[in-house]
Amino acid sequence: MELRQYTREDIQSKRVVLRCDLDVAVNTDGVVDQYHDLRLERVVPTLVELFSFGARQVVIIGHRGRPNGKPEPGLSLAPVCERLRELAAIEGLDEPIAFIEDISVDPTHHRDQDLVMLENLRFWPGEKNGDAAFARTLGQWGEVYVNDAFGSSHRSDASVTLLAQAMRDAFAGPELAQEVARLGGFLERAAKPFVAIVGGAKIGTKLPLLTLLSQRADQVLVGGALANTILASRGISMGASLMESALFKKASELSGQSFHLPIDAVVSGGKVVSITNIGLHEAMLDIGPETIKNFVSCIQEAKTILWNGPMGKFEDAAFSAGTDAVAQAVIGNEKANALAGGGETIELLERLDLVSKFDFVSTGGGAMLTFLAGGEMPGLDAVA
Ligand code: ADP
Ligand code: MG
């Protein structure tokens, strides 16, 4: 895929509206989790480049969480603004970032500030509704649009699609372009056996991609709440496990030898049970030891590995064994080309200090899977 990339001339003396992946975890003390800021680290080089190309102002936009079109103080981007300022300062970009809560204010009132961040775009319904008037409001903040948010580019939210049309010029940022180049190259080089590992909780985004993924990968190992949904759709009693019953029909259509599902589980309370023995009030929170053995042996044989999504509720040490074992198996397989991505997946790799052991770590989870599976990427089309 050919993306439109900017040159110095495109940026010089311009006000740039920069769409970034700002969706990082914020701890209860209101500070960005130190293991969850890789996405913010990747914003800094783009800022440095834009200013070195003579940008007059950079207006950073993005979202956090799912506030459903209305303000939710717990999902403010204010802590993100603070952390980004710290990270930028480390790289010598010692600018304050003006944080704007009301995005409909007149941008000319903020013309003197070099660096601006707007509040969580999903506080307004227009972002998810694809509202052209909302895109025009955002477009008033500058002349040049740059999308550097690969992790949001599988969606058709206003700020990754309509905004590109609402502004005079629209480009793919360097971070976005690097994701596309690395992931595109990854598929071309994918030696067999190619093992995909998919877990986590974003069932609605990920489930529809599994069929596409199984056409590319030789084996698809499924864990996390995603597996709960598939198992339940096959008539297995999953008790109080997290799942999405609206997707049972879709899940039941998944078939084929390439899918590996959990055969045992660690349930609430910490007990290990066979997958057919989950009690009515028990929830499956991690894959069990027999499943780990099966998954690990597939991973050891792989020449190409793609990983998105934890195998269980890994944030709780009682339910992190499956995810840890998968992580160790992936990095233990030195002959394989390994790729990982996703918000929580990055977090767990940062916690285990394993990011550098992967050939590439994508900031996108659903976006990475969609791209690799050949699905639609409206945010890329808008800057192609
Ligand atoms: P990523 O951001 O890496 O793409 P997701 O956002 O899809 O991953 O899901 C991550 C979340 O899934 C984690 O917070 C984890 O606690 C949760 N999770 C995984 N497995 C389970 C499970 N069996 N039950 C409940 N939550 C789970
Ligand atoms: Mg996530």
Side-chain angles (χ1 to χ4, degrees):
M1 172 174 259
E2 281 293 316
L3 298 171
R4 270 168 62 78
Q5 288 191 261
Y6 56 74
T7 61
R8 179 182 293 271
E9 288 65 44
D10 295 315
I11 298 303
Q12 195 134 39
S13 314
K14 300 283 174 27
R15 296 177 197 280
V16 179
V17 176
L18 177 66
R19 176 58 158 100
C20 299
D21 276 326
L22 303 176
D23 193 14
V24 295
V26 173
N27 293 332
T28 44
D29 57 1
V31 174
V32 173
D33 189 294
Q34 61 161 321
Y35 294 111
H36 209 296
D37 62 1
L38 184 82
R39 284 175 169 166
L40 303 185
E41 284 171 23
R42 291 200 182 165
V43 173
V44 179
T46 302
L47 292 177
V48 171
E49 181 173 89
L50 288 171
F51 284 118
S52 79
F53 282 4
R56 193 189 300 178
Q57 182 181 52
V58 179
V59 179
I60 302 164
I61 57 172
H63 76 271
R64 186 158 86 79
R66 300 180 165 196
N68 272 329
K70 50 182 189 307
E72 203 178 308
L75 291 175
S76 170
L77 283 178
V80 175
C81 185
E82 182 52 29
R83 172 58 62 84
L84 185 62
R85 195 190 54 73
E86 288 168 14
L87 291 170
I90 296 169
E91 299 303 319
L93 196 72
D94 219 349
E95 301 277 337
I97 307 179
F99 187 69
I100 313 281
E101 286 182 33
D102 181 3
I103 61 164
S104 59
V105 296
D106 182 353
T108 56
H109 294 162
H110 298 278
R111 287 275 140 106
D112 297 337
Q113 280 131 349
D114 292 344
L115 206 45
V116 171
M117 184 186 286
L118 305 186
E119 182 55 289
N120 191 343
L121 297 178
R122 291 193 185 170
F123 282 4
W124 288 271
E127 170 68 349
K128 295 245 55 130
N129 295 348
D131 177 351
F134 178 72
R136 279 195 300 275
T137 305
L138 293 177
Q140 279 164 6
W141 284 88
E143 299 94 41
V144 177
Y145 169 78
V146 174
N147 180 8
D148 222 11
F150 177 78
S152 300
S153 292
H154 59 317
R155 308 194 185 280
S156 41
D157 297 359
S159 67
V160 294
T161 54
L162 294 175
L163 182 54
Q165 295 156 22
M167 298 190 66
R168 204 188 299 161
D169 257 338
F171 300 100
E175 179 56 33
L176 183 84
Q178 127 133 326
E179 290 265 4
V180 169
R182 296 297 293 264
L183 297 180
F186 182 85
L187 268 190
E188 279 157 28
R189 286 196 314 272
K192 300 207 157 229
F194 176 3
V195 174
I197 312 158
V198 193
K202 285 203 184 123
I203 305 163
T205 312
K206 298 180 185 186
L207 194 79
L209 296 169
L210 289 180
T211 304
L212 281 173
L213 207 54
S214 72
Q215 289 160 6
R216 305 231 183 207
D218 299 294
Q219 276 155 339
V220 184
L221 317 182
V222 190
L226 196 59
N228 298 349
T229 305
I230 300 172
L231 291 164
S233 80
R234 295 182 178 182
I236 294 171
S237 163
M238 296 302 291
S241 303
L242 176 65
M243 40 194 170
E244 195 132 3
S245 53
L247 291 168
F248 280 175
K249 188 171 175 307
K250 182 117 199 137
S252 67
E253 288 160 7
L254 293 173
S255 62
Q257 296 209 317
S258 57
F259 287 106
H260 291 245
L261 289 163
I263 49 178
D264 58 353
V266 184
V267 293
S268 33
K271 202 167 57 162
V272 173
V273 296
S274 140
I275 206 72
T276 50
N277 278 332
I278 297 175
L280 201 58
H281 301 291
E282 286 170 343
M284 170 162 182
L285 295 172
D286 195 9
I287 55 175
E290 291 304 317
T291 309
I292 292 178
K293 259 191 235 164
N294 176 23
F295 283 15
V296 166
S297 75
C298 291
I299 293 167
Q300 282 167 342
E301 298 301 314
K303 293 239 171 58
T304 304
I305 300 169
L306 159 67
W307 182 17
N308 165 257
M311 296 293 102
K313 199 167 173 264
F314 75 99
E315 293 91 342
D316 183 339
F319 307 109
S320 68
T323 302
D324 287 352
V326 163
Q328 297 302 340
V330 174
I331 59 142
N333 180 343
E334 286 174 2
K335 65 181 189 300
N337 199 2
L339 168 70
E344 272 75 24
T345 307
I346 292 174
E347 176 186 341
L348 73 91
L349 294 179
E350 286 205 80
R351 266 180 215 286
L352 299 169
D353 200 17
L354 296 179
V355 171
S356 63
K357 307 249 195 239
F358 280 75
D359 296 282
F360 184 62
V361 173
S362 170
T363 54
M368 176 183 75
L369 290 178
T370 307
F371 183 83
L372 291 174
E376 289 194 18
M377 299 286 292
L380 297 189
D381 295 340
V383 289

